């Protein structure tokens, strides 16, 4: 694309959304074109529309100019799946940021919601509070400002055992068809009009009636099968993973291969619960507890999160500021804090001071009082493996009786019944661990090459879930962080590798080990630019985007037009 043509498309974008919402300079686009943990690349522009109609017009202009479009919501992904990757694209790249499109519409007396592209889990949680209901995810992703649509497009989530991965068959989205024509597809289950302009304006202004909402039981707005699947603890396959063909449907699992304008989702009753904290030096103990919880309880647990002692320690030290920030200001302020830090980091990098902000934050938090409950820290000293279990109130007595009897017979572990504060802090600490490896890397750049981050789903019947690496590989790693959603056997494994080690080569070696164990990967963060899209997933992408216009190259697929 010539400079003149580039200037023309940029001016068109400015005419649509305004000068202040089109970014072209590197220091302005950095926050958008660089992944939270992985991936970065060049862009022609970042555009942030304020209305669905503006989003449609931006999309039309980008398609007419033969540009690649990357849809981006909160950019909280861990595999670089909503940012460009490298500089080998055959067309200019435009990032369409949806951060300004924050609409949430509660329908069907709070039983469902319609979410626009920029709606966050944190905001949705607040909108549903008066109905005593919750969104699909209320921990983890909501702590870092993740978007609702991002979760659906990536089949993410699953920490809440009864709800499974984010999924819907009801969505409003645009695609470029086989003939290269842009078309709007209304499968939202709401009568909104005929033309794109009518549909988008009617939806955004909520000018539809209750009678326009179609409640068709054949179209799901959540994963109705998952609660059954996760209980099948003797099955030789994982409970959930990104390339599962049965959980790929239009926007669900699309990973940005279509331009989504809205999704319709089920909400869930907020259930009073209690937390038990388990520690043990035998992983077999946790296997038996897991089997009891999934097979013998009358109702599924609400959540069950695992953390290994090393991950506990790294999280306690290097995730402390995130933990304290959320404690003090709540999750709603986290995206703004990340944005501010990114601007500071960009400024410091100009003067060769990369990583300085992380070192300063780390130094400050080091002198703050210990933020974790005393009983948790005591268990850290005694036990290698930690499990947090959130149980519905009416099942708590049965679980407590089981744990008492179990640990009377097995001296390798113990448990305690958490206070409300201990339970809240236990789960917050577990999710602060996810960013701790990044902070460790950024404050130890002289000794750390990078992080190898894996997101894996083990077989449901796998009792040997604790990993043992070959000695030669183990010697190349400074720290191994294991944590995850234990009841569904989905684990996050972060390896902080020594300086001079090729992280990509190590990751590929890890893939071979996982293949031998019958694992699937990625489990819930989608392929991004980190993993190879398996055949079912690649086929899903090609059906959605036959000309390869949107988010090209993800899953190590072709970056060229028409999938050449």
């Amino acid at each position: 694309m010539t400079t003149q043509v580039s200037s023309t498309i940029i001016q068109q974008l400015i005419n649509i959304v305004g000068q202040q919402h089109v970014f072209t300079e590197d220091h302005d686009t950095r926050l958008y074109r660089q992944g939270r943990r992985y991936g970065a690349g060049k862009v022609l522009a970042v555009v942030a529309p304020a209305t669905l109609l503006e989003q449609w017009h931006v999309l039309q202009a980008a398609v007419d100019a033969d540009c690649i479009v990357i849809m981006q919501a909160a950019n909280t992904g861990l595999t670089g799946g909503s940012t460009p990757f490298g500089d080998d694209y055959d067309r200019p790249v435009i990032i369409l940021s949806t951060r300004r499109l924050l609409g949430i519409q509660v329908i069907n007396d709070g039983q469902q919601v319609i979410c626009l592209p920029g709606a966050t889990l944190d905001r949705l949680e607040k909108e549903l509070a008066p109905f005593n209901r919750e969104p699909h995810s209320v921990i983890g992703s909501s702590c870092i400002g993740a978007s609702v649509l991002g979760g659906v497009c990536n089949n993410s989530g699953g920490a809440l055992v009864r709800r499974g991965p984010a999924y819907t068959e009801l969505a409003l989205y645009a695609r470029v068809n086989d003939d290269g024509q842009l078309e709007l597809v209304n499968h939202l289950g709401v009568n909104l009009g005929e033309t794109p302009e009518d549909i988008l304006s009617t939806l955004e202004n909520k000018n539809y009636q209750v009678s326009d909402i179609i409640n068709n039981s054949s179209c799901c707005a959540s994963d109705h099968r998952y609660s059954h699947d996760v209980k099948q603890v003797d099955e030789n396959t994982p409970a959930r993973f990104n390339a599962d063909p049965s959980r790929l449907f239009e926007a669900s699992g699309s990973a940005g291969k279509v331009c989504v304008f809205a999704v319709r989702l089920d909400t869930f009753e907020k259930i009073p619960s209690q937390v038990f904290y388990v520690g043990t030096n035998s992983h077999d103990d946790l296997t038996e507890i897991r089997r009891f919880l999934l097979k013998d309880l009358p109702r599924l647990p609400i959540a069950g999160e695992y953390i290994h002692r090393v991950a506990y320690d790294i999280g306690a030290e290097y995730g402390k500021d995130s933990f304290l920030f959320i404690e003090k200001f709540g999750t709603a302020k986290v995206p703004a804090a990340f944005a501010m830090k990114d601007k500071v980091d960009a400024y410091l990098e100009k003067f060769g001071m990369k990583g300085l902000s992380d070192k300063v934050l780390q130094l400050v938090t080091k002198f703050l009082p210990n933020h974790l409950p005393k009983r948790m820290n005591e268990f850290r000293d005694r036990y290698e493996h930690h499990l947090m279990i959130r149980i519905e109130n009416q099942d708590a007595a049965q679980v407590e009786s089981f744990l008492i009897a179990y640990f009377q017979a097995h001296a390798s572990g113990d448990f305690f019944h958490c206070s409300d504060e201990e339970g809240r802090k236990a789960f917050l600490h577990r999710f602060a661990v996810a960013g701790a490896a990044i902070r460790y890397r950024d404050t130890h750049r002289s000794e750390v090459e990078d992080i190898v981050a894996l997101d894996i789903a083990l077989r449901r019947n796998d009792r040997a879930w604790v990993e043992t690496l070959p000695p030669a590989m183990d010697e190349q790693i400074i720290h191994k962080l294991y944590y995850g959603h234990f009841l569904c056997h989905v684990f996050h494994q972060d390896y902080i590798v020594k300086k001079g080690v090729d992280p990509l080569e190590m990751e590929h070696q890890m893939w071979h080990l996982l293949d031998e164990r019958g694992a699937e990967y990625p489990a819930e963060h989608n392929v991004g630019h980190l993993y190879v899209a398996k055949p079912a997933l690649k086929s899903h992408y090609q059906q959605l985007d036959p000309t390869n216009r949107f988010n090209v190259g993800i899953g190590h697929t072709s970056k060229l037009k028409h999938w050449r």
Side-chain angles (χ1 to χ4, degrees):
M1 182 177 282
T2 66
T3 302
Q4 182 177 355
V5 174
S6 296
S7 299
T8 300
I9 179 61
I10 289 170
Q11 186 58 54
Q12 284 181 300
L13 298 174
I14 290 171
N15 293 342
I16 295 167
V17 304
Q19 178 82 53
Q20 66 272 38
H21 300 298
V22 178
F23 311 116
T24 56
E25 299 297 327
D26 281 354
H27 62 274
D28 292 324
T29 61
R30 184 180 186 274
L31 178 66
Y32 304 89
R33 57 181 171 81
Q34 181 170 293
R36 177 66 55 87
R37 176 183 283 179
Y38 180 81
K42 294 289 186 181
V43 297
L44 175 65
V46 176
V47 190
T51 67
L52 296 183
L53 206 51
E54 283 187 4
Q55 179 173 316
W56 173 253
H57 291 320
V58 166
L59 196 56
Q60 285 180 313
V63 171
D64 289 345
D66 199 25
C67 292
I68 290 166
V69 177
I70 298 178
M71 293 288 297
Q72 185 184 96
N75 192 17
T76 58
L78 302 181
T79 61
S82 60
T83 57
F85 187 77
D87 57 3
D88 55 341
Y89 294 94
D90 63 344
R91 291 151 288 168
V93 176
I94 292 175
I95 292 178
L96 201 164
S97 171
T98 64
R99 291 181 183 224
R100 300 172 69 203
L101 300 169
L102 301 175
I104 295 171
Q105 300 173 10
V106 180
I107 62 173
N108 291 340
D109 299 320
Q111 304 289 311
Q112 290 186 324
V113 291
I114 294 173
C115 293
L116 303 193
T120 64
L121 286 165
D122 176 83
R123 184 67 251 168
L124 180 54
E125 189 175 349
K126 291 179 173 62
E127 290 284 341
L128 291 174
F131 298 89
N132 196 39
R133 298 187 72 82
E134 295 177 330
H136 166 266
S137 298
V138 295
I139 51 178
S141 297
S142 57
C143 291
I144 55 173
S147 71
V148 177
L149 266 69
V152 172
C153 293
N154 291 309
N155 287 137
S156 60
L160 298 177
V161 185
R162 303 178 184 185
R163 304 176 192 179
Y167 179 82
T168 187
E169 296 169 2
L170 300 167
L172 174 65
Y173 62 93
R175 66 189 296 268
V176 175
N177 61 26
D178 294 290
D179 298 324
Q181 300 300 308
L182 183 65
E183 59 184 20
L184 187 66
V185 180
N186 182 11
H187 288 168
L188 198 60
V190 184
N191 294 319
L192 297 169
E194 298 299 326
T195 68
E197 289 75 15
D198 287 343
I199 291 170
L200 298 173
S201 297
T202 300
L203 174 62
E204 186 155 31
N205 297 319
K206 206 176 180 182
N207 286 336
Y208 55 89
Q209 306 300 315
V210 172
S211 58
D212 290 319
I213 301 173
I214 304 166
N215 292 308
N216 186 341
S217 60
S218 66
C219 293
C220 301
S222 61
D223 189 342
H224 293 176
R225 295 186 297 110
Y226 182 73
S227 60
H228 169 268
D229 293 351
V230 74
K231 292 167 68 173
Q232 311 310 307
V233 294
D234 294 312
E235 291 295 318
N236 198 38
T237 54
R240 61 184 176 92
F241 55 97
N242 282 135
D244 181 353
S246 68
R247 291 186 167 97
L248 300 174
F249 188 91
E250 297 183 349
S252 295
S254 63
K257 296 303 287 183
V258 292
C259 177
V260 184
F261 286 80
V263 294
R264 180 173 161 185
L265 296 164
D266 290 333
T267 66
F268 303 87
E269 181 185 1
K270 187 181 292 185
I271 299 173
S273 62
Q274 301 175 38
V275 174
F276 295 91
Y277 197 99
V278 177
T280 180
N281 290 315
S282 170
H283 74 274
D284 290 332
D285 289 343
L286 297 192
T287 295
E288 294 307 316
I289 292 170
R290 171 178 173 266
R291 291 178 66 85
F292 162 77
L293 293 172
L294 295 178
K295 288 183 66 178
D296 299 337
L297 275 187
R299 285 158 291 274
L300 278 171
I302 294 171
E305 293 296 308
Y306 169 78
I307 181 171
H308 184 268
R309 178 189 277 155
V310 173
Y312 186 106
D313 291 345
I314 298 292
E317 184 173 355
Y318 295 92
K320 186 176 182 179
D321 60 327
S322 296
F323 182 106
L324 294 173
F325 185 90
I326 293 169
E327 279 271 288
K328 179 71 174 177
F329 300 106
T331 58
K333 301 291 185 183
V334 173
F338 272 116
M340 178 60 72
K341 181 179 179 299
D342 187 81
K343 290 181 179 179
V344 171
D345 287 343
Y347 179 80
L348 293 173
E349 283 182 25
K350 288 182 179 179
F351 298 95
M353 294 185 286
K354 187 175 183 178
L356 179 61
S357 67
D358 291 284
K359 291 179 180 179
V360 170
L361 286 169
Q362 204 55 40
L363 182 64
V364 170
T365 55
K366 184 176 181 179
F367 293 100
L368 296 176
N370 193 302
H371 58 296
L372 297 178
K374 179 181 178 182
R375 289 200 288 181
M376 280 175 56
N377 287 328
E378 289 174 349
F379 265 46
R380 177 264 165 226
D381 295 338
R382 292 165 58 190
Y383 302 117
E384 179 181 3
H385 305 287
H386 298 243
L387 177 65
M388 292 139 271
I389 314 165
R390 185 175 295 279
I391 300 292
E392 190 171 335
N393 278 354
Q394 59 184 319
D395 297 325
Q398 183 178 351
V399 171
E400 186 159 24
S401 296
F402 170 83
L403 292 173
I404 290 171
Y406 185 88
F407 286 118
Q408 284 176 345
H410 300 80
S412 47
D414 200 357
F415 82 100
F416 63 86
H417 197 156
C418 294
S419 67
D420 289 345
E421 181 183 20
E422 287 174 327
R424 178 177 54 79
K425 288 189 173 184
F427 276 90
L428 180 53
H429 175 55
R430 152 64 186 89
F431 289 101
V433 169
I438 302 172
R439 170 60 57 78
Y440 186 98
R441 177 196 64 190
D442 292 344
T443 55
H444 295 79
R445 289 189 176 274
S446 61
E447 58 198 73
V448 175
E449 185 66 35
D450 209 340
I451 302 165
V452 174
L454 295 178
D455 164 33
I456 70 170
L458 297 181
R459 293 168 295 139
R460 283 168 281 182
N461 65 351
D462 194 345
R463 291 176 175 268
W465 52 269
V466 174
E467 179 179 69
T468 302
L469 294 176
M473 189 179 293
D474 212 23
E475 291 172 1
Q476 298 178 313
I477 299 171
I478 300 172
H479 292 298
K480 302 187 291 286
L481 280 68
Y482 299 111
Y483 54 99
H485 314 311
F486 186 68
L487 298 185
C488 56
H489 263 197
V490 166
F491 292 89
H492 304 298
Q493 302 182 173
D494 295 345
Y495 308 90
I496 301 173
V497 300
K498 295 179 180 178
K499 202 73 175 177
V501 175
D502 185 341
L504 197 58
E505 182 180 339
M506 175 175 283
E507 182 179 341
H508 293 169
Q509 293 174 4
M510 296 281 188
W511 290 352
H512 292 302
L513 296 177
L514 293 172
D515 290 339
E516 292 172 0
R517 297 174 67 189
E520 290 281 356
Y521 51 90
E524 63 176 5
H525 288 155
N526 223 303
V527 290
H529 291 283
L530 194 58
Y531 298 92
V532 175
K534 293 186 176 180
L537 197 57
K538 182 177 179 181
S539 176
H540 183 55
Y541 295 158
Q542 290 177 323
Q543 289 174 12
L544 293 174
D545 185 20
T547 66
N548 205 18
R549 171 76 60 181
F550 295 100
N551 206 10
V552 308
I554 57 165
H556 294 236
T557 58
S558 171
K559 288 185 174 180
L560 305 180
K561 196 172 182 179
H562 298 293
W563 300 90
R564 290 193 297 269

